[in-house]
Amino acid sequence: MPPRLRSYLPILDWGARYDHAALSNDLIAAVIVTIMLIPQSLAYALLAGLPPEAGLYASIAPIVLYAIFGTSRALAVGPVAVVSLLTASAIGQVAEQGTAGYAVAALTLAFLSGGFLVLLGVLRLGFLANFLSHPVIAGFITASGILIATSQLRHILGVDGSGHTLPEMLHGLWSHLGQINVITGLIGLAATAFLYWARKGLKPALRRAGLGARAADVATKAGPVAAVVLTTLAVWVLDLDALGVRIVGAVPQSLPPLTLPGLTPDLLAQLLLPAILISVIGFVESVSVAQTLAAKKRQRIDPDQELIGLGAANLGAAFTGGFPVTGGFSRSVVNFDAGAETPAAGAFTAAGLAIAAVALTPLVYYLPNATLAATIIVAVLSLVDVTILQKTWAYSRADFTAVAATMALTLLAGVEVGVGAGVGLSILLHLFKTSRPHVAEVGRVPGTEHFRNIHRHEVITQDDLVTLRVDESLYFANARFLEDLLQARVSDGCDVRNVVLMFSAVNAVDYSALESLEAINSRLSDMGVGLHLSEVKGPVMDRLRATHFLDHLNGKVFLSQFHAWQALARPETDPALATQ
């Protein structure tokens, strides 16, 4: 079999080694994850502003396609909170919720997202996700968690409300406080309290009652199902929907339908940017989870193939009545802890959800929306980490500024502005940090061949020899900084005769930086000062040799900084040189 084909179809790799033990573990994991996903899928469809069945549809074909094309053994793909919120924000700008156009826009968004991800994967551009700083992403996800929880309060209280920003949501809740349905509020608050307790206290309580570890774990994961069953029964038996409790209502009893996204130029143009943003955020979240879980079993994932896997999953959602999906943190952890051995666990989960879509949907007719809202609120609580502000403040004020700005813009201007700001701030933060690289003046540590910062160590120096260690690659954003720094150092009234640039940390020199080095060489030459290089890495030296820079260099290139010191330092400054 061609290796190239195997790399694009990881199922051919793990499938060839699939055995009975893996089958048993995958089936157990699938049962646990299916129980968890039924209420979660319905809830995330509600969050996206779509009918509940869309959540089930988005959790069937996408999971199967990821099992074929994805490389993670434990990642569980489907609707997630942040992507569902981004979906609602994006398609809410082009269509009215509840209309056919709204559902078509969701399909189109999934189609564009899937196509973009596959394109990045084929072009091997997974590294682009590295340009998003983790503090900025953490800030965006925290702010999104707050928005998601706030958006669900209207369902908890049984009131109308709208808005995409925190002020709009709070204003909508405040203006409808007189409409609060007390029974809905009691159901919502009770479900929230139960689900929160189930996350932390149910398993220990079951263990104290004598239940086995595995059984207690399964029962804990089924906590949301228990909340769904109990509140649904309460609404049905007590006829609470007649008292104003809003329920899910009729859900089509069928497998995912074959659907077509809208391909009109206007719709594609309106949704292209949101699709790209959703793709980037979804990929970063997914690949982070996949890498974390893979490391625990000393496995590896291929980020470029993950792009193809997630892209295929989204394309599957677009043609089967779903909406954008990605790898979810909570469900993936549950899948991993339940013992999933291969992506086949996801395929079995899809089969379980398909059975639920066909046979169980009539049972959720009386399911209160407040319970689904409680499921979402409790799920996103784990996303909210306001301590990121304290951590970045203590570590780096630049990182703190980026995180705080991302959070503020997300909360006050909406998730699309927030994620756009996060991407922009991540790039600006990188440019800011590298535009002023750390450049240390170094001297020789007595009795050694090592050179260290003159401000941190007791070292030997001499007035007419200056060595600067450049601790960053040189490119257009920082080339002038080095030029100005060196000019100020040499023009400081000192009798400098030689300057050595120590390039041990320089991995690349672009053309702008080359021009700056040429300018530095020319100026120093006019001043009668020699310019030397030391510890230049092979790839950098190859680039410099391809130019005329070395031919005009007013000095030499030394293999090591110690060699430069031996050639340029005066013995009376360092007596050890006289004996060498």
Side-chain angles (χ1 to χ4, degrees):
M1 182 179 300
R4 190 70 172 173
L5 180 61
R6 187 180 291 270
S7 68
Y8 280 122
L9 292 171
I11 189 174
L12 299 177
D13 183 29
W14 59 263
R17 301 189 300 273
Y18 202 66
D19 55 23
H20 185 270
L23 173 64
S24 176
N25 290 332
D26 286 344
L27 284 172
I28 293 173
V31 170
I32 295 173
V33 175
T34 300
I35 292 172
M36 172 188 177
L37 281 188
I38 291 174
Q40 200 175 78
S41 298
L42 298 173
Y44 289 147
L46 179 71
L47 177 58
L50 292 162
E53 63 270 16
L56 291 175
Y57 298 160
S59 300
I60 297 175
I63 297 179
V64 176
L65 288 168
Y66 179 82
I68 296 172
F69 294 100
T71 59
S72 172
R73 302 295 180 92
L75 190 70
V77 172
V80 300
V82 173
V83 170
S84 297
L85 178 65
L86 286 167
T87 297
S89 176
I91 60 181
Q93 306 297 319
V94 301
E96 184 178 350
Q97 186 173 331
T99 64
Y102 192 91
V104 171
L107 299 174
T108 306
L109 195 62
F111 174 77
L112 289 172
S113 178
F116 180 70
L117 288 167
V118 169
L119 179 64
L120 290 183
V122 171
L123 297 178
R124 317 300 286 177
L125 296 178
F127 70 91
L128 292 176
N130 297 333
F131 286 99
L132 289 172
S133 73
H134 284 280
V136 166
I137 291 298
F140 169 73
I141 290 178
T142 293
S144 297
I146 294 172
L147 284 178
I148 291 168
T150 305
S151 71
Q152 298 308 298
L153 290 178
R154 61 191 178 99
H155 297 295
I156 294 289
L157 301 176
V159 301
D160 295 322
S162 61
H164 298 291
T165 68
L166 187 61
E168 290 173 352
M169 292 177 186
L170 293 176
H171 179 266
L173 289 172
W174 178 261
S175 61
H176 292 91
L177 282 181
Q179 300 176 359
I180 291 178
N181 185 292
V182 176
I183 299 176
T184 300
L186 290 175
I187 292 174
L189 293 175
T192 303
F194 170 76
L195 290 172
Y196 185 76
W197 172 78
R199 275 182 165 242
K200 304 293 183 180
L202 181 56
K203 186 174 181 178
L206 293 174
R207 294 288 287 139
R208 288 193 297 270
L211 201 63
R214 173 54 72 87
D217 190 57
V218 173
T220 300
K221 300 299 188 299
V225 176
V228 166
V229 171
L230 292 174
T231 54
T232 301
L233 285 173
V235 172
W236 176 53
V237 172
L238 300 177
D239 199 22
L240 297 180
D241 57 315
L243 300 178
V245 175
R246 299 176 184 179
I247 58 176
V248 169
V251 177
Q253 191 174 355
S254 67
L255 290 172
L258 291 177
T259 54
L260 289 175
L263 300 178
T264 60
D266 287 344
L267 184 60
L268 293 175
Q270 288 176 297
L271 294 178
L272 179 60
L273 181 58
I276 292 174
L277 295 178
I278 287 174
S279 300
V280 172
I281 292 297
F283 173 66
V284 170
E285 179 180 353
S286 178
V287 80
S288 298
V289 175
Q291 288 176 332
T292 299
L293 297 179
K296 292 183 178 182
K297 288 191 175 182
R298 298 189 177 184
Q299 298 168 347
R300 64 176 298 275
I301 67 166
D302 180 354
D304 293 316
Q305 185 60 33
E306 283 297 291
L307 284 166
I308 295 175
L310 291 174
N314 277 279
L315 290 174
F319 290 100
T320 57
F323 55 96
V325 299
T326 192
F329 176 76
S330 58
R331 71 185 66 180
S332 297
V333 171
V334 170
N335 197 36
F336 179 86
D337 290 342
E341 292 284 343
T342 72
F348 297 144
T349 299
L353 290 172
I355 293 172
V358 171
L360 302 182
T361 50
L363 302 180
V364 300
Y365 181 91
Y366 289 101
L367 172 61
N369 289 341
T371 302
L372 294 180
T375 301
I376 294 173
I377 290 174
V378 174
V380 301
L381 287 178
S382 60
L383 301 178
V384 178
D385 179 20
V386 293
T387 62
I388 190 66
L389 292 171
Q390 178 186 354
K391 293 173 183 175
T392 52
W393 176 265
Y395 187 76
S396 168
R397 300 300 166 83
D399 283 329
F400 169 81
T401 301
V403 171
T406 300
M407 291 181 65
L409 287 170
T410 301
L411 292 173
L412 301 178
V415 288
E416 289 188 349
V417 173
V419 70
V423 173
L425 286 171
S426 294
I427 296 173
L428 288 175
L429 189 60
H430 170 74
L431 293 175
F432 173 76
K433 289 179 177 179
T434 57
S435 67
R436 300 180 62 84
H438 181 258
V439 178
E441 186 169 343
V442 300
R444 183 188 180 193
V445 178
T448 73
E449 297 182 6
H450 301 293
F451 291 78
R452 294 292 184 269
N453 193 323
I454 64 173
H455 300 298
R456 294 177 179 270
H457 302 273
E458 293 292 334
V459 294
I460 301 170
T461 62
Q462 66 178 55
D463 294 339
D464 62 352
L465 175 60
V466 172
T467 296
L468 299 178
R469 189 189 69 224
V470 183
D471 293 335
E472 185 69 64
S473 292
L474 297 177
Y475 72 117
F476 66 91
N478 62 22
R480 188 58 187 267
F481 174 80
L482 177 63
E483 194 176 333
D484 294 341
L485 179 70
L486 207 152
Q487 181 71 23
R489 176 64 181 85
V490 175
S491 303
D492 200 21
C494 301
D495 296 325
V496 178
R497 292 291 174 263
N498 289 288
V499 171
V500 182
L501 294 180
M502 189 174 173
F503 270 24
S504 55
V506 177
N507 296 315
V509 175
D510 76 356
Y511 193 79
S512 296
L514 174 65
E515 290 184 330
S516 286
L517 289 176
E518 290 173 341
I520 291 170
N521 181 62
S522 178
R523 290 175 186 173
L524 292 181
S525 181
D526 291 342
M527 298 168 63
V529 178
L531 174 64
H532 311 270
L533 305 179
S534 72
E535 303 190 11
V536 183
K537 294 185 175 181
V540 177
M541 181 60 76
D542 292 340
R543 287 291 184 90
L544 295 179
R545 284 192 180 122
T547 70
H548 296 292
F549 173 72
L550 296 179
D551 297 333
H552 298 99
L553 183 65
N554 184 32
K556 298 180 179 179
V557 178
F558 294 96
L559 181 63
S560 70
Q561 179 56 34
F562 181 67
H563 288 156
W565 181 263
Q566 283 182 312
L568 302 174
R570 300 189 309 273
E572 61 268 24
T573 303
D574 187 355
L577 292 176
T579 63
Q580 294 176 349

